[in-house]
Every structure is written in structure tokens, then in C-alpha cells.
Amino acid sequence: MVDPALASRLQFAVTTVVHIIFPVMSMGLAPFLVYFTWKEVRTGEALYERLRRFWTKIFAVSFAVGTVTGLVLEFEFGTNFAAFSAAAGELFGGPLAVEGMMAFFLEATFLGVFVFGRERVSDRLYFLSSVMVGLGTWLSAVWILVANSWMQTPRGYELARESGRLTVLLTDPIAAYANPRFPWMFVHMQNAAVLSVALFMAGVAAYHVYRRRHLGVVDGGNLDAEFWRATLKVALVVLLITAPLQVLHGDAYGRHVAETQPQKFAAMEAVWETDSYVPEYIVAFPTSVDDLLNPRAKDIFGIGIPGGASWLASGGNAQAEITGLNEFEGSPPVAVVFWSFRAMVALGFWFVLLAFWAGYRWRTGELFEDRLLHKALMASSVLGILGVELGWIVTEVGRQPWVIQGVMRTTEGVSPGLTGTEATLTLAGFVGGYLVLLSLYTYVVGRLIRRGPETEDGAEPTLPDRERDPGIAPAATEVSEDD
């Protein structure tokens, strides 16, 4: 018989991992759409209209699928974690209700104007609709992260017993909703979303630039070439800003975690015994073969920077003491947190390297000629979203065994009447359903990307037409020698 708590945790993890893809796409695309719309309204150039139309389609698809998958998460608080909802519903339910009533409806209402109203409203109102859609998207993140950050660093509450049941009472809304973790999570998440979409756009644009050169298509004066080159340039500008910011902010965020959640920080660094001058392991493995699959293995062989973890925790003191996991009651699956953290950090540094590489090629005039760079951008197009997933694993798994840090254990929040069979069946159902949704989303977005933007007269292009690339001589002899 499967433990209902374990099955419920797996179900919430699976649905969250899939769902988070779509809000990341929406939140990350929103600033780009505002920019394209502003340029279209200000200049009247067809290029910005095509950019706005094309990326709005992907935004709309992401918004629709994200709405469906997000509703399931809220239902799971009732079906799988009813004890948590009953105990903390007064405090936790407020932000979720505001998110649904204010942010979601703001976004959904103006999205209708933004998608269908270009010919029906004035330029000023149309631009306002793009801003409102973006504002609604980001406000959704505000309220979701208010609720989640409170679970990480709970403030403004009192514990009580009602009929023998633990209850969390809201006593100070400002302290609760403006808790210490919220600004760190919000900045890190929003920057990660914009960074992820910039990588995605750069990868898509690089694919078309690479493909056109591979087919021997000359780009001079062609609207499609202009479209993808503009996409690549805009994405790289954003990437050059967001990639370094994410690394710098992540470093400071790590110190905040060390101060407010020392147990999670110890899991991120696999520190079991309280010690000073703790190394920052680049890689680490259990010394026993029997421990390779044991997430709680303690004896490890590691290669690291002496004092690096102490330096990271304190902000510059390599001799600083780090409290080990043995000092806490319970601990998360250390291997999952340890490796997720390292993979996320490695991706962050790769994004910085990729941004400066592309920036250098742009400066030297070889941005559209460097085929190795194009391949790297294509390969990295979804790595930003992978980085977000890894960050959420560190955040959520690293908090275990607590559903509310230091207040309520995850096992105490599971629905009392839920059986292992029921939890396992719903887990299997959601895994299947979410895989189908993800496959459909991937197919639709992939097809939009392959087809590319609309033609100049607004008609949908066909794949054969795009392959032939009308109006351009596919002269292989005009392809550069490196082809």
C-alpha cells in the first residue's frame, strides 16, 4: 500500500512541474509584447506588428493551458491536503482568492481586447490593453508568491487549537503578506521568467537563421529574415541584462536562505555536522556504492572550494559556521536538493557565458554568421525553463519535512480520510492527463514556430511556401564558404 502522503506529494510535484512552464512563458513574454505593441503604435512599422502578432499567439496558448493546469493545483489543496487547508485556510486562502478575482480577471479581460481588438479600439487603448495583460500576469505571480513565501518564512500569525485541531490565525496581515521571503522570491522568479523567454526566443530565432543559411537562402531585403534577426537582437539585449542579474541576485538570495532557513541551506550544501570553513562542493558522491541511491547518504567524496559554502552563507567570511542537518528535526532528501541546486547554478553561469558570447559576436558583426553560436542558442532554448524547475525543486523539496516551515509538517497536512489507493489512482490520472496536455502544447507551439510569422498581407503561411521562400533566389553559390 502506497503512503497517501507520499503519493500526494508526488502528485503535487508532478502537476506543479508541468504547470510552472506556462506561467513562466506568460510572465516572460508579457514585457516583450508590451514593447512590440509600443513600437508598433509609435512607429507604425509592419515589423513590430508581425512580432506582436506572432508572439501573442504563443502567449495565448500558454495562458490557456496554464489556466487549466493551475486550477488543478488549487483543487489539490482540498482533495489531498485538506488538513493543511483547514488549518491555514484563513491565511493561505486570502492571497489565492485575490489572485483569482483581481489578477486573473484583469489579465483575461484585457487579453480579449489585446488578441481581437487591434482593428476595433484606438492605438492608445490597444497599448493600454497590452500593459494590463502584462500587469495581470505579474500580479498573479505576486499573490501566488505571497502565499508560498509565507509558507517559507511564516509571520503575522498565532497558533490555536479548535476542537483539538491545529489552526493558524492571521493576526498581522502586513507582517504575513510582506514576509521576509517574498521580495527575494518575486525578483528571482520574475527575472527567471523573462530570462527563460529571452533564451526561448533567441533559440527560435537562431533556428530560423541557421535553417535559412542551411537551405542556401539569401536574406537581403526579405521580411522573414528581418523578422527573425529582430527577434534575435531583442532577445539578446534582454538576455545580456537578465542573465548576470540572475547570478548576482541568486548569490544574495542564498545568504538570505542561510539566515532564514538554515536547514534548507545545509541541504543545499549537504552539510550534516555543524562546522566552519565548509567547502563549496562542485561535485560530491557517496563513498559507498550502497549509498549511491540513498538520498540521505552522509559519507561523501567531494571536490570543492575550501571555505566556499561558509563564504556564500555569510557573504564573505570563509570561516563562518554553518549549522549541520543533524541539529534539526528531520531533513529533506539531501541528494535531490544538493544536485538540483548545483545544476541550477551551472545553468545560470552558462546563460551568462552564452549572453556575452552572443554579445561579442554581435559587436564583431558575426551574430548571424556564427553557426556554432546558433547551435548553442537552439540547444539552450528551453534550458531557462529547466533552471526554473530546478529552482522550484530546491525551494519546495528543501523545505521538507515542513509544509509550513517550523509550524506544520507535510504529513500533518494530508487529508485525513485519503487512502493510499485513492492518492495513487489520482496520481496516475494526473500524470497521464498532464503528459497529454504538455504534448499538445508542445505540438501547437512547435507548429507555430515552424510556420513562422504571418505573411505581409496578414495571411497564414504554409510550410511548403515557407520552404520555397518566394521572392528569394535559393542560390547555393551565394552561401558563404563556411556552409
Side-chain angles (χ1 to χ4, degrees), residues 2-17:
V2 177
D3 179 10
L6 176 62
S8 296
R9 286 175 60 186
L10 287 174
Q11 180 177 316
F12 202 84
V14 168
T15 49
T16 302
V17 162

Side-chain angles (χ1 to χ4, degrees), residues 144-223:
I144 295 297
L145 293 179
V146 161
N148 188 279
S149 61
W150 178 81
M151 297 163 70
Q152 310 285 337
T153 54
R155 300 286 190 279
Y157 70 96
E158 284 183 358
L159 295 179
R161 288 280 176 183
E162 295 182 355
S163 302
R165 177 171 56 83
L166 177 68
T167 303
V168 181
L169 300 177
L170 177 63
T171 58
D172 186 345
I174 295 177
Y177 298 146
N179 67 82
R181 179 57 52 83
F182 170 70
W184 292 99
M185 290 188 77
F186 182 76
V187 174
H188 209 62
M189 183 69 210
Q190 298 310 96
N191 192 70
V194 178
L195 166 61
S196 299
V197 168
L199 278 167
F200 181 73
M201 293 175 69
V204 170
Y207 160 73
H208 281 279
V209 171
Y210 181 92
R211 180 166 167 262
R212 295 172 68 82
R213 288 177 55 77
H214 179 72
L215 294 174
V217 176
V218 180
D219 285 342
N222 181 262
L223 286 176

Side-chain angles (χ1 to χ4, degrees), residues 216-482:
V217 176
V218 180
D219 285 342
N222 181 262
L223 286 176
D224 278 358
E226 184 184 9
F227 179 93
W228 292 117
R229 290 182 175 210
T231 299
L232 183 55
K233 286 181 176 180
V234 170
L236 289 182
V237 169
V238 176
L239 188 61
L240 280 164
I241 297 171
T242 54
L245 176 60
Q246 193 71 357
V247 172
L248 294 173
H249 186 267
D251 175 59
Y253 190 1
R255 287 194 291 279
H256 170 73
V257 171
E259 294 170 359
T260 56
Q261 287 183 298
Q263 180 186 11
K264 180 186 292 184
F265 188 83
M268 289 159 54
E269 301 296 344
V271 179
W272 288 91
E273 303 293 341
T274 299
D275 203 356
S276 58
Y277 198 58
V278 178
E280 175 68 34
Y281 287 115
I282 307 300
V283 294
F285 299 96
T287 54
S288 169
V289 175
D290 296 335
D291 285 338
L292 282 176
L293 298 179
N294 177 12
R296 299 181 184 279
K298 298 179 182 179
D299 298 323
I300 61 173
F301 168 76
I303 301 174
I305 304 169
S310 293
W311 186 89
L312 179 63
S314 62
N317 180 11
Q319 298 296 332
E321 182 179 273
I322 295 180
T323 304
L325 288 164
N326 287 335
E327 302 292 329
F328 300 98
E329 184 182 354
S331 63
V334 177
V336 174
V337 181
F338 179 87
W339 284 112
S340 297
F341 178 65
R342 269 142 193 80
M344 178 187 66
V345 171
L347 285 176
F349 281 107
W350 165 243
F351 299 154
V352 174
L353 177 63
L354 187 61
F356 284 115
W357 177 10
Y360 172 74
R361 286 303 192 190
W362 190 351
R363 181 180 175 82
T364 60
E366 299 170 292
L367 178 60
F368 305 115
E369 312 299 330
D370 190 336
R371 296 172 66 83
L372 182 60
L373 172 64
H374 299 160
K375 291 179 181 178
L377 288 170
M378 284 188 275
S380 303
S381 59
V382 296
L383 292 185
I385 293 175
L386 176 61
V388 173
E389 302 275 17
L390 292 168
W392 269 107
I393 290 173
V394 174
T395 300
E396 299 305 305
V397 178
R399 172 162 47 96
Q400 301 303 319
W402 303 100
V403 63
I404 305 173
Q405 182 73 43
V407 176
M408 173 183 274
R409 290 175 177 272
T410 304
T411 51
E412 297 171 332
V414 176
S415 302
L418 186 67
T419 66
T421 302
E422 291 170 340
T424 304
L425 286 175
T426 55
L427 168 63
F430 279 119
V431 168
Y434 270 53
L435 284 177
V436 170
L437 275 176
L438 185 59
S439 300
L440 287 173
Y441 174 81
T442 304
Y443 171 78
V444 171
V445 171
R447 184 172 176 78
L448 287 172
I449 290 172
R450 288 194 301 275
R451 292 168 66 91
E454 297 172 350
T455 56
E456 190 176 6
D457 58 2
E460 288 284 348
T462 60
L463 287 174
D465 288 340
R466 196 153 292 284
E467 290 286 350
R468 288 195 295 272
D469 208 10
I472 299 175
T477 54
E478 297 186 57
V479 181
S480 62
E481 293 181 0
D482 61 353

Side-chain angles (χ1 to χ4, degrees), residues 16-38:
T16 302
V17 162
V18 176
H19 168 70
I20 201 171
I21 296 170
F22 312 113
V24 165
M25 291 296 294
S26 300
M27 293 184 298
L29 274 171
F32 287 98
L33 294 182
V34 172
Y35 172 72
F36 293 150
T37 307
W38 177 68

